[in-house]
Amino acid sequence: MKREDTTPWYRQFWPWFIIALPASAVVGGLTTLWISMQTTDSLVLQSDDGVRNASDRRIAAERFASAAGLVALLDIDRDTGTVSAVIRSGGLDSLPTTLEFELSHPAFADRDRAITLTKAIPDAEGNPVWVGHFASVPEGRFYAVLRSGDTWRLPAEWQGEASLTLYPRGNDRNGSLRPLCPASPAGL
């Protein structure tokens, strides 16, 4: 019996093809490991007392804002960077002298912006007003939060518009209540 294939295995195509599949998985895994070691978890909220306690404080602040009936109208002047917040302070006993306005980028923590708004003269209807200033107004889509420490917070999504209305997460724009923790991601 005469053998037709006389070339060694390492000169054949199929052994190298079969070896290349798991080898590419190992290279991909090592690359993923290197990327994860070089970058930070910027999407995770960091706090001194843990992620769970920070989430609990955030939910409590949103519930307080909903119970107090807070609604804020923010005007952002893209040319000057001036930010003014007018708040309908439903059930607030006292008004804070400063508010924090934060713009958080959905993916990159280095693009986040935060400014302090200071109390100014009330508007014509007697609603309290706070004013602040961005050095440069960011471009793109951001999650906006107007808050007074850990007491209350009003979240929204900002996409560069000049005027933004912030409602408590527990309220829809038509005034009906919706759950703070929706059952489906579509309610976020």
Side-chain angles (χ1 to χ4, degrees), residues 29-110:
L30 291 174
T31 303
T32 304
L33 177 67
W34 179 79
I35 290 170
S36 69
M37 300 298 271
Q38 297 298 318
T39 59
T40 61
D41 296 329
S42 63
L43 298 179
V44 177
L45 178 66
Q46 303 275 335
S47 177
D48 294 336
D49 56 351
V51 173
R52 170 79 188 220
N53 291 335
S55 296
D56 290 344
R57 282 194 312 270
R58 191 181 97 204
I59 291 171
E62 289 175 4
R63 285 191 175 144
F64 180 84
S66 180
L70 297 178
V71 176
L73 175 66
L74 263 76
D75 290 319
I76 303 170
D77 187 342
R78 298 194 65 74
D79 297 328
T80 63
T82 303
V83 178
S84 65
V86 178
I87 296 182
R88 188 192 68 181
S89 57
L92 285 181
D93 295 332
S94 63
L95 298 173
T97 56
T98 62
L99 297 176
E100 294 89 29
F101 179 57
E102 301 169 351
L103 291 175
S104 301
H105 193 273
F108 303 109
D110 61 336

Side-chain angles (χ1 to χ4, degrees), residues 85-156:
V86 178
I87 296 182
R88 188 192 68 181
S89 57
L92 285 181
D93 295 332
S94 63
L95 298 173
T97 56
T98 62
L99 297 176
E100 294 89 29
F101 179 57
E102 301 169 351
L103 291 175
S104 301
H105 193 273
F108 303 109
D110 61 336
R111 295 184 188 171
D112 293 353
R113 301 285 188 268
I115 61 170
T116 300
L117 305 177
T118 56
K119 198 160 192 297
I121 300 171
D123 67 359
E125 289 94 35
N127 293 317
V129 177
W130 286 263
V131 178
H133 187 269
F134 277 119
S136 65
V137 179
E139 299 285 332
R141 180 175 159 248
F142 287 86
Y143 297 121
V145 174
L146 182 67
R147 63 186 181 94
S148 174
D150 286 335
T151 307
W152 56 264
R153 72 190 303 268
L154 297 171

